Amino acid sequence: MRILLVEDEPEMVSALRAALKRHDMVVDHAGTLLDAEGFVAVDGYDAILLDRQLPDGDGLSLVPRLRAANNTTPVLVLTAKGETSDKVDGLDMGADDYLAKPFAFEELLARLRALLRRPAPMQSQFIRAGHLVLDVGHREAAIRGEPLSLPRRELLVLEALMRRTGRMVQREALMEAVFGLDDEIQSNALDTHVSRLRRKLADAESGVTINGIRGVGYLLRETP
């Protein structure tokens, strides 16, 4: 699960990032509205955690701009403004949920889960290549109907490659898809995930192979 955290308080950012990562979420952080707009323009997120009081304006102003661009990413507003009128304003502007500070992390997590259980209104949830089917919504892979057990980062690698089957995916694009911008990453981390995934796909006779060009990127293609 990839989360965009839009928050400018360092202590809150540190606490939320650590807690979310403990629950296997990839977290990108934006400290301003401008940064947040840049992130959503180039990356897809499962949910956005949005503070209202940001250095360059009311975070809530981001929501109608997202909806106008047909971006339906769930938005959970986190704010010290907890009056009923504030909550109504936020929901009316297109936010999906509203949580007043201070809050218990358990409640935040429960609200996130509830948002992510809502059916996505847009694209197909399935990607197919060879004998392999990836359920994007549930992050599950299967080969000829049999589940293929993969850890989270290998699933993210697989999704990024399957979305561009037959085309080279640049190494930088894969890194962005698999790791959070603030993750501490070893230089060979991506190659290790790809190597393990390639072996599992071969062992399961998936009908696809992963080829790489050193220092450039990787390509998933269907086998004859």
Side-chain angles (χ1 to χ4, degrees), residues 52-64:
R52 285 197 63 172
Q53 296 172 296
L54 296 170
D56 53 348
D58 187 342
L60 202 54
S61 66
L62 176 67
V63 182

Side-chain angles (χ1 to χ4, degrees), residues 71-122:
N71 186 324
T72 60
T73 303
V75 175
L76 174 54
V77 177
L78 308 176
T79 179
K81 296 183 176 182
E83 297 296 326
T84 299
S85 59
D86 294 316
K87 297 178 182 179
V88 170
D89 287 344
L91 297 172
D92 282 348
M93 290 181 72
D96 297 271
D97 201 355
Y98 203 104
L99 186 57
K101 300 176 183 178
F103 53 81
F105 178 72
E106 291 76 11
E107 181 179 2
L108 170 64
L109 198 60
R111 289 175 180 265
L112 265 179
R113 287 195 298 264
L115 288 178
L116 295 169
R117 282 196 297 268
R118 297 179 183 177
M122 300 184 74

Side-chain angles (χ1 to χ4, degrees), residues 113-145:
R113 287 195 298 264
L115 288 178
L116 295 169
R117 282 196 297 268
R118 297 179 183 177
M122 300 184 74
Q123 72 252 14
S124 168
Q125 292 292 300
F126 298 94
I127 309 173
R128 294 174 172 82
H131 307 303
L132 180 64
V133 178
L134 178 66
D135 182 338
V136 177
H138 294 93
R139 290 274 162 80
E140 295 174 348
I143 297 173
R144 295 190 177 94

